[in-house]
Amino acid sequence: MASEAILVRASHEQYLVTLHRQQKEWSYGLTLEQFLHREKTLKDSAFGQALQCWVLVPASDPATLESYCSCETFRRAVLLPQGKKAPAYSIASVFTPPENRKKGYARRMMTLLHAEIGRTKSMRLEEESSDDVKPQWQGGLDGLLSVLYSDVGAFYENIGQEGEGTLAEVKGWSTLAPITTTWLLANLPPPTPSTIESESESPLASNISPVNLDLDVFNTICSIDAKLLSQAIASTSLRPVLAVEPTGDLIQWHILRSQVYAEANGKSSPDVWGFELNFAGGKRGGPEWGFVLFTIDWPKKTVKLLRLRVPAVAPEKVDGLLREVLEFGRKHECEKVEGWNVPAVAATLFAGHTIEREGSLPGLAWYGRDGVDGKAVTWVANEGYGWC
């Protein structure tokens, strides 16, 4: 019975079994060997060090390799007002084998997960530490919140903590702003001669620079972006308000997923994974600075925007960044470009089409125990980089 099952951190052997199970439905054409290689590559990355696999098992046999279902968590930081940070958890790879579905196992697992990662100490937001939140697993019981991306509709919204424990106020993962903007590349006019240049040559416009595959550059861009996000959060009167901290490690993790798939399918992986506006050797972070970072979802032939920063001054100049991304997608034989919660000034350009999507619904569970429901949280920069 589901009600008698317990949640445990997976052993290495249990973790490998979960991967074998997932490959059958989530491989997108990768062989088992290629799928396992991808997962090892991601787990060995800097961001992947934060991965913790969980399995739901019988209380009488917690070491069994025949778990009922499984999931993964990544410990990461969220940015708060006053330049502070707090630990949080992203939940990913929630998987129930077909033979165990519709028996209450997934609901049981997610209910128990609240108590493993949610904080046990009551703390007001202004009491949060400003210290860096280390990504490595540190025992749980400290998360201010958790986030997940649902492909099963509103299933997670009503999975709260049972009983009268310290997290009894948690109601589930509230869906927040599942907004997607899509640009169909077939609808674009033919490229101009200057957009046919190779990626190693000069960019289309003199004020736009390519972002090459360089972790140091990703770290620099994301560090400055995080500071600007913190300033934006501090300037709003909305409470609670937060943003998932963008990091170079996370951007690299997204790109690694794309690279492994490209390699397995004989595709040429790009050298460019973003563009900057008004940098070209100048100072990053100024009011005219903007950037876009992205990855490629090869099976869906889609360029996915991970993070788009619109210049504070002359925001309409974001059209140059977006034009470069669209031409990048066309060059790599993609069919569309997709972004989440794209700023309005960019979403309306180049015949972008914005909808409320039905998949990858961003959900947030709040563990602050201050009478706040997840639906009341303002999630700044709720964009593609937050997914994992």
Side-chain angles (χ1 to χ4, degrees), residues 122-247:
S122 181
M123 183 184 295
R124 294 178 299 175
L125 288 182
E126 57 267 26
E127 295 174 331
E128 295 289 347
S129 170
S130 59
D131 296 335
D132 287 341
V133 177
K134 303 300 181 184
Q136 284 73 22
W137 181 256
Q138 295 182 352
L141 306 178
D142 62 350
L144 177 64
L145 58 99
S146 63
V147 297
L148 54 72
Y149 293 82
S150 173
D151 287 318
V152 288
F155 173 75
Y156 299 100
E157 289 198 355
N158 297 312
I159 302 182
Q161 170 68 22
E162 294 179 346
E164 300 179 355
T166 57
L167 296 173
E169 296 179 10
V170 177
K171 305 302 180 185
W173 287 269
S174 301
T175 300
L176 299 176
I179 307 301
T180 294
T181 299
T182 302
W183 293 268
L184 298 178
L185 300 183
N187 295 342
L188 296 180
T192 61
S194 58
T195 65
I196 307 177
E197 299 173 347
S198 70
E199 292 172 6
S200 61
E201 296 175 351
S202 299
L204 170 62
S206 60
N207 64 340
I208 293 180
S209 307
V211 178
N212 296 313
L213 184 59
D214 187 323
L215 181 57
D216 289 338
V217 174
F218 294 154
N219 282 332
T220 299
I221 291 174
C222 290
S223 176
I224 296 171
D225 185 38
K227 291 179 181 178
L228 295 175
L229 282 172
S230 293
Q231 293 172 11
I233 288 171
S235 66
T236 178
S237 60
L238 298 171
R239 294 291 186 273
V241 57
L242 55 87
V244 174
E245 182 180 31
T247 67

